[in-house]
Amino acid sequence: MDALAERLESAGGSDSLVNLKTAGWMMGQGQPSVDRCVTPERFVRGYHERKLNPRQRQAIEQSLGSELTFIWGPPGTGKTDVVASVIEGCYRQGLRVLFVAPTKVAVDQALKRICELLSGEEGFDMGLVQRAGDIELASLSARFGEQISARRIAERLATAVAARIAERLATAVAARITETRELLDAARRDLALHAEVEQVTNELKDLHARRDEAGRHSTALPRQIHAEQSATTMVERQIFDTGAPSGFFVKKKQAKLDDLHRSYEEHRNTIAALDQQLRAALAAQQHCTTEITKREPELAVLRNRLRRVPSAKPLREAVERLQQQLTSLEQEQQKIEEAVRGNCRVMGTTVAKAVQSRKLLDSIDVVVIDEAGMVNTPSAWCAAGLATRRVVIAGDFRQLPAVTKASGDRRSSAEDKQHVALWMDRDVFATAGLVDQAGSARQDRRMVSLDTQYRMRPEVTVKRPEPSGVVVRPIQSSSFSRDEALRVRSTRGTGLPSSHP
């Protein structure tokens, strides 16, 4: 959130990456053009042969012909296929595309479909489509990881003369990095051996010192105990000689006896304490002797290993030198990866990384935000603001909202609750004016609704009116022969668009 706040604060500045025009479209500002591409087959291969329903075709054609398009569809309506076809078309229109989604898995699932559509394109092996950040989906990594990871491409460059030169450079750099890391690890291990020898030596010195100290105590304490015992015997005699108090000086004798008894108890307590100290000293002496007996052979083994290792000072100098060399080589490898990044025409990443990163692509013509119902408004605003020409928003505003601190948090102040309700509890479908206060969709040329679901069976579907007036009923899908489909139709007066000009 700190990176997002920083991006928001810098918006409008001279060095800001946010295009206020395209970002403003998320808030219903401006007049983005809404049109329709009349020749989609030029940009989407096999367009007329693809199993797309009319609304899916409308969404693709409008996205390829407009500055701003919202694609709304419940789960299972084929949004991923539509989004992939839109990105394919944008690429063939000569545009650079940034595709974002709220989670790594959502990014990877769509990117896998995009790769399937563009894998036959020239330059695909050189990073035509790339994934910024770690690949979460195992199937994407296994099938296309070598083609979409900038680091893996830099290590594998393999076509064209320039690519072969870059490959040799990348291979050489990678080899030098590996060699330097191995040398650095070896030097660090040797230094660790020096440190271990020094530690064991110091521990043995400490054990010897503690044993000697315990030995001195175990020698001195018996003498102190003997002296206290002699003093106790003397007091006992005095008590005996004083006898029972009687006669004219009875009080004086009683006071003397009381003093002698106190002295006697003090001597007995001192003897007990000294005896306890003696036992502790003897135990400490035995413990130290046992530890010394155990550690001295260990030190002998370590010192024998140390004979084959350079001294500590040159090792420390080597570690510092190798670390500097490794840093330089890694920077060189980073430059190669940046060169590979320059080949990218379609970039996929999470919304968070798009917002946090200073520069993902040299230029971004189109931003496509998938699962937009799960993206908070400020993040969507910043992501859309990275585009210079076109924004496509896909999602379902009735699905899970963005995961943020809710306006209902009892610990929040009234001002914070109002702020959260205004910005964090609403998605861009609402802020762009496509959803009314009751949660129903408004008729708007900017939005295309996908109305056929392909992932539910009729027996789990109940024919009933939804709060928005939508009626769900099972039908047979013309696109998938084995799957039952559901068609979502709007009823009159609901505000849900059934068609868009």
Side-chain angles (χ1 to χ4, degrees), residues 134-192:
D134 298 331
I135 300 174
E136 187 89 357
L137 197 65
S139 58
L140 175 64
S141 180
R143 187 172 176 187
F144 296 113
E146 293 296 325
Q147 291 81 28
I148 66 174
S149 167
R151 180 175 293 274
R152 288 158 76 172
I153 295 168
E155 294 171 352
R156 176 204 48 81
L157 292 172
T159 58
V161 175
R164 286 198 295 271
I165 295 173
E167 179 185 20
R168 288 196 296 272
L169 178 59
T171 302
V173 171
R176 288 170 62 196
I177 287 175
T178 301
E179 180 183 4
T180 304
R181 281 178 177 160
E182 290 173 352
L183 291 171
L184 186 58
D185 290 342
R188 284 173 173 163
R189 285 195 297 271
D190 291 343
L191 267 181

Side-chain angles (χ1 to χ4, degrees), residues 72 74-75 396-399 436 438-441 451 453 456 460-474 486-496:
W72 171 64
D396 181 5
F397 56 81
R398 292 184 182 138
Q399 271 195 291
D436 62 26
S440 297
D451 61 1
Q453 289 181 293
M456 296 177 66
V460 299
T461 305
V462 179
K463 188 174 181 180
R464 60 183 176 84
E466 295 290 332
S468 62
V470 176
V471 175
V472 183
R473 67 181 183 85
L486 301 176
R487 182 170 299 279
V488 183
R489 296 188 184 278
S490 68
T491 56
R492 289 187 179 180
T494 63
L496 182 70

Side-chain angles (χ1 to χ4, degrees), residues 19-26 381 384-391:
N19 179 356
L20 296 180
K21 176 183 177 182
T22 55
W25 292 345
M26 301 300 98
W381 186 87
L386 298 175
T388 58
R389 297 179 61 176
R390 179 182 296 163
V391 178

Side-chain angles (χ1 to χ4, degrees), residues 14 44 49 56 85 103 157 167 169 217 225 327 336 357-358 400 430 442:
S14 58
V44 180
E49 289 73 37
Q56 290 173 327
S85 296
T103 65
L157 292 172
E167 179 185 20
L169 178 59
H217 279 291
I225 292 171
T327 300
I336 297 173
S357 301
R358 180 62 187 168
L400 291 172
R442 294 189 172 136

Side-chain angles (χ1 to χ4, degrees), residues 68-265:
L68 175 65
T69 303
F70 287 85
I71 302 171
W72 171 64
T77 51
K79 291 190 297 294
T80 299
D81 280 339
V82 170
V83 165
S85 296
V86 168
I87 292 173
E88 175 191 5
C90 289
Y91 157 72
R92 291 211 175 88
Q93 287 178 328
L95 304 175
R96 288 184 184 269
V97 183
L98 174 65
F99 167 77
V100 298
T103 65
K104 292 180 180 180
V105 171
V107 173
D108 292 348
Q109 288 173 337
L111 208 57
K112 182 180 178 183
R113 180 63 181 132
I114 293 165
C115 287
E116 290 170 349
L117 294 175
L118 296 179
S119 59
E121 294 295 306
E122 183 180 356
F124 181 79
D125 287 344
M126 294 295 298
L128 182 77
V129 178
Q130 292 184 33
R131 171 69 158 90
D134 298 331
I135 300 174
E136 187 89 357
L137 197 65
S139 58
L140 175 64
S141 180
R143 187 172 176 187
F144 296 113
E146 293 296 325
Q147 291 81 28
I148 66 174
S149 167
R151 180 175 293 274
R152 288 158 76 172
I153 295 168
E155 294 171 352
R156 176 204 48 81
L157 292 172
T159 58
V161 175
R164 286 198 295 271
I165 295 173
E167 179 185 20
R168 288 196 296 272
L169 178 59
T171 302
V173 171
R176 288 170 62 196
I177 287 175
T178 301
E179 180 183 4
T180 304
R181 281 178 177 160
E182 290 173 352
L183 291 171
L184 186 58
D185 290 342
R188 284 173 173 163
R189 285 195 297 271
D190 291 343
L191 267 181
L193 181 58
H194 276 284
E196 188 176 2
V197 168
E198 184 179 359
Q199 179 182 348
V200 175
T201 300
N202 290 336
E203 288 175 355
L204 277 169
K205 286 181 181 179
D206 180 63
L207 286 168
H208 279 288
R210 286 161 53 197
R211 186 178 68 173
D212 292 345
E213 181 69 17
R216 286 192 292 273
H217 279 291
S218 61
T219 301
L221 285 169
R223 291 196 295 269
Q224 295 178 35
I225 292 171
H226 179 71
E228 287 293 327
Q229 288 173 339
S230 298
T232 304
T233 302
M234 186 179 295
V235 172
E236 286 178 336
R237 273 193 204 135
Q238 289 176 341
I239 292 172
F240 180 79
D241 292 343
T242 302
S246 62
F248 185 76
F249 298 102
V250 63
K251 289 185 178 180
K252 189 174 181 180
K253 282 186 177 183
Q254 185 61 53
K256 182 178 180 180
L257 282 173
D258 290 343
D259 289 340
L260 288 171
H261 280 296
R262 277 194 295 272
S263 177
Y264 177 80
E265 289 301 322

